[in-house]
Amino acid sequence: MPLPSLRTPRVLGVDDFALYGDTYGTLLVDATTRLPLTPWEGRDAEQLSRWLREHPGVESVCRDGSLTYRQGITDGAPTTLQVSDRFHLWQGLSRRVQDIAAAHRACLPAALPPKRPIRHRTRRPPGTPRRRHQLDSIPGGCSRPCTR
């Protein structure tokens, strides 16, 4: 049975994947339908640029931060918009936040508000009514005892 003809996607996804050990492959995906288009072994800018030249019409490419893929897209389709994919944006952001928090770990206690002493409630004498919060915004008021 013949494979269906390949339709050039408007939005192309490019990412690498591990085949085994230190050997990687590249996968091209139609980002609109989320269907794989073609895989190949290696992460090669020339192979990606050749594919883009053979399949004109790609308007934007969603990729990771790889300089190899950036060069391949720039060479093969220079007018194509290159964007970072959501996964790699979040991954980069979380790493950066982690780096900043680690670098300023010693500063964090000074940024916390001072601790207030814990006030212990005393027992009220039997027969003394509980004080209640006066909250006009909640219909019926609040039934929790006031501890202030």
Side-chain angles (χ1 to χ4, degrees):
M1 177 179 219
L3 292 173
S5 62
L6 177 68
R7 196 185 106 237
T8 301
R10 205 174 54 77
V11 181
L12 178 69
V14 179
D15 205 358
D16 57 356
F17 61 95
L19 289 168
Y20 50 87
D22 288 335
T23 305
Y24 292 88
T26 297
L27 179 64
L28 303 183
V29 175
D30 182 334
T32 305
T33 63
R34 298 182 180 178
L35 294 174
L37 299 172
T38 184
W40 63 71
E41 189 173 338
R43 295 182 275 197
D44 186 26
E46 179 54 38
Q47 193 168 9
L48 178 57
S49 65
R50 189 176 334 112
W51 190 94
L52 288 167
R53 283 191 297 272
E54 292 169 0
H55 300 87
V58 174
E59 296 175 13
S60 60
V61 179
C62 185
R63 64 175 181 85
D64 62 8
S66 167
L67 297 177
T68 302
Y69 292 147
R70 182 176 83 180
Q71 188 62 48
I73 297 164
T74 302
D75 293 346
T79 59
T80 300
L81 176 67
Q82 298 184 41
V83 296
S84 291
D85 62 42
R86 192 177 333 170
F87 170 80
H88 290 96
L89 282 173
W90 279 113
Q91 184 182 45
L93 177 64
S94 64
R95 283 183 182 160
R96 186 68 179 132
V97 168
Q98 185 178 8
D99 293 344
I100 290 170
H104 295 280
R105 186 169 307 228
C107 306
L108 293 176
L112 294 174
K115 287 188 176 181
R116 294 188 337 199
I118 298 173
R119 292 180 18 190
H120 298 282
R121 290 195 318 188
T122 57
R123 289 186 79 113
R124 59 183 169 77
T128 307
R130 293 190 211 180
R131 293 188 325 182
R132 304 206 182 266
H133 291 283
Q134 300 298 319
L135 298 177
D136 297 330
S137 61
I138 301 174
C142 177
S143 62
R144 291 182 18 217
C146 182
T147 59
R148 293 183 197 186

